[in-house]
Amino acid sequence: MKKSPILFLLLLMAACHPKQPTTLEEATLPEPTDSISFTPPKNIVLMIGDGMGLTQITAGLYMNGNKLNLEQFQYIGLHKSYSSNDLITDSAAGATAFASGKKTYNGAIGLDAGGKPAKTILEEAEAAGMSTGLVVTSSITHATPACFYAHERDRGLMEQIAGDLSISGVDFFVGGGKKYFDRRLDERNLIKEMEGKGFVISNFIDTDFNNVSIDFNKKFGYFTADAEPLPKSQGRDYFVQACQSALNYLSSQNDKGFFLMIEGSQIDWGGHANNSDYIISEMIEFDQAIGVVLDFAKQDGETLIIVTADHETGGYAINPGSTWDSIIPAFTTDKHTAVLIPVFAFGPGQELFGGLYENTAIFDKMNRALGFIKS
Ligand SMILES: [Zn+2]
């Protein structure tokens, strides 16, 4: 059958029409930082406020009497939070970018976009003889902490992720999720298994965290909930003390330094709930944790602190009519958004964190700071 000239023309036009990009091209790290010289830090504390965009910080600031510990940071940058398959990242792809320097698909835990396990900064630190720790206000198997020690195709695989923690090199952890360790479909008791490998593990049923005694000669774990811990406003009170305990413990372990990841997990949940008070109480508590880490770093002089978020949540805004002591909030969504995310750095190597860069560059910069990447 003879092709009609009109059909031929339409086909030709379709073939020549420029394609819209289906993925973004990841900018490679520009190297204006190459000329920066600094004394390498011995320790890194990476603090992630999940869902903490500029408005969350702003609301916390004004509802805390116009002051935050974050104001003490002199080096501030911005990162691009998108994932490999979506302009809007989730916490798994966001944390994998920080932990492994790979853009990956939403839901991936410590895998690159092709599904291959990506080595994490925590694993590198461990291989270098450093001590490692995690303190969170979610379950310890939740997406953000999981991306530092686990490699799984989906963030929902909580029991597999718990299995990954049980064989990881993490020395100290505090968070929820006990049931993924001791009431599993496969009937293994990972808590018993970990105790057999040098851990002392306690939980919220046996001892309040604030009364727990920590044996510095053993590995330490504490479960703060069976699944997800309570919001701060409903009585969760372990977070700031756990950050202090982590610093005491990790700094006592050896002279090779430590890597600690701290997450204020529930700023994000306030955003999903479109609940401004929830965001603010979580944000202020996260800032108190920042204060504890700053005090340690100022005294120690060898600790680099990085504070950032994986993404913003809620399209949160502070509306006209807000006053010094109350905020009229607005939300554009109950999901995450794509807005640029601030990065605050303090301590040796802080100069590396100015500028506007990919979220994956935070991994590169931490590696460079620790001397794992020579420039
Ligand atoms: Zn979220």
Side-chain angles (χ1 to χ4, degrees), residues 314-336:
Y316 184 34
I318 297 171
N319 262 357
S322 297
T323 58
W324 300 113
D325 57 359
S326 79
I327 274 171
I328 299 174
F331 295 90
T332 60
T333 178
D334 61 3
K335 300 187 171 66
H336 304 162

Side-chain angles (χ1 to χ4, degrees), residues 35-330:
S35 56
I36 293 173
S37 63
F38 58 91
T39 315
K42 185 168 155 190
N43 315 308
I44 287 189
V45 184
L46 174 62
M47 304 186 71
I48 301 173
D50 201 300
M52 183 188 72
L54 275 179
T55 315
Q56 284 77 0
I57 295 169
T58 310
L61 172 74
Y62 292 127
M63 293 304 101
N64 192 46
N66 190 22
K67 57 181 190 304
L68 285 179
N69 288 308
L70 266 180
E71 292 174 84
Q72 298 178 52
F73 288 71
Q74 299 293 310
Y75 288 83
I76 300 174
L78 291 167
H79 79 70
K80 300 186 255 182
S81 66
Y82 68 90
S83 68
S84 73
N85 68 336
D86 203 317
L87 193 60
I88 316 293
T89 190
D90 81 325
S91 295
T96 298
F98 300 154
S100 300
K102 306 283 186 204
K103 291 274 186 188
T104 191
Y105 60 90
N106 287 356
I109 300 291
L111 304 181
D112 68 16
K116 275 210 328 252
K119 192 165 192 187
T120 75
I121 183 90
L122 186 145
E123 291 163 343
E124 288 180 350
E126 189 208 336
M130 298 166 74
S131 304
T132 58
L134 303 164
V135 175
V136 299
T137 57
S138 63
S139 59
I140 198 68
T141 48
H142 214 264
T144 304
C147 291
F148 289 83
Y149 62 79
H151 304 279
E152 298 291 343
R153 65 180 166 76
D154 189 273
R155 60 184 289 170
L157 300 169
M158 291 296 214
E159 294 189 359
Q160 283 91 321
I161 291 168
D164 286 356
L165 181 65
S166 76
I167 55 168
S168 76
V170 172
D171 300 301
F172 181 106
F173 72 86
V174 178
K178 178 172 173 285
K179 69 176 186 180
Y180 306 117
F181 292 78
D182 65 359
R183 261 163 300 148
R184 300 163 53 87
L185 285 175
D186 64 10
E187 296 188 352
R188 279 170 68 191
N189 186 328
L190 298 184
I191 294 177
K192 289 241 150 51
E193 291 181 22
M194 292 169 82
E195 284 170 344
K197 287 185 282 194
F199 264 95
V200 173
I201 298 180
S202 53
N203 65 68
F204 67 104
I205 301 164
D206 298 339
T207 327
D208 187 88
F209 182 82
N210 298 305
N211 298 326
V212 83
S213 66
I214 299 175
D215 182 345
F216 283 20
N217 297 311
K218 301 269 198 172
K219 293 184 172 213
F220 176 82
Y222 182 92
F223 288 106
T224 60
D226 251 335
E228 299 306 331
L230 292 170
K232 168 74 180 154
S233 63
Q234 293 175 27
R236 187 192 69 235
D237 66 350
Y238 67 81
F239 184 46
V240 176
Q241 180 57 42
C243 294
Q244 183 66 64
S245 300
L247 294 166
N248 297 346
Y249 175 93
L250 293 169
S251 61
S252 77
Q253 291 300 295
N254 61 39
D255 59 3
K256 299 219 166 117
F258 63 83
F259 175 83
L260 170 62
M261 195 287 292
I262 292 171
E263 186 194 31
S265 320
Q266 298 196 28
I267 301 167
D268 175 63
W269 303 354
H272 285 298
N274 282 189
N275 181 334
S276 185
D277 291 342
Y278 192 174
I279 293 171
I280 290 164
S281 55
E282 296 294 326
M283 179 67 222
I284 291 174
E285 187 197 35
F286 185 57
D287 187 68
Q288 289 165 355
I290 292 169
V292 161
V293 181
L294 272 170
D295 286 347
F296 173 87
K298 283 181 197 166
Q299 206 170 13
D300 166 80
E302 296 185 297
T303 302
L304 169 63
I305 312 171
I306 302 138
V307 182
T308 190
D310 42 5
H311 53 73
E312 194 275 344
T313 306
Y316 184 34
I318 297 171
N319 262 357
S322 297
T323 58
W324 300 113
D325 57 359
S326 79
I327 274 171
I328 299 174

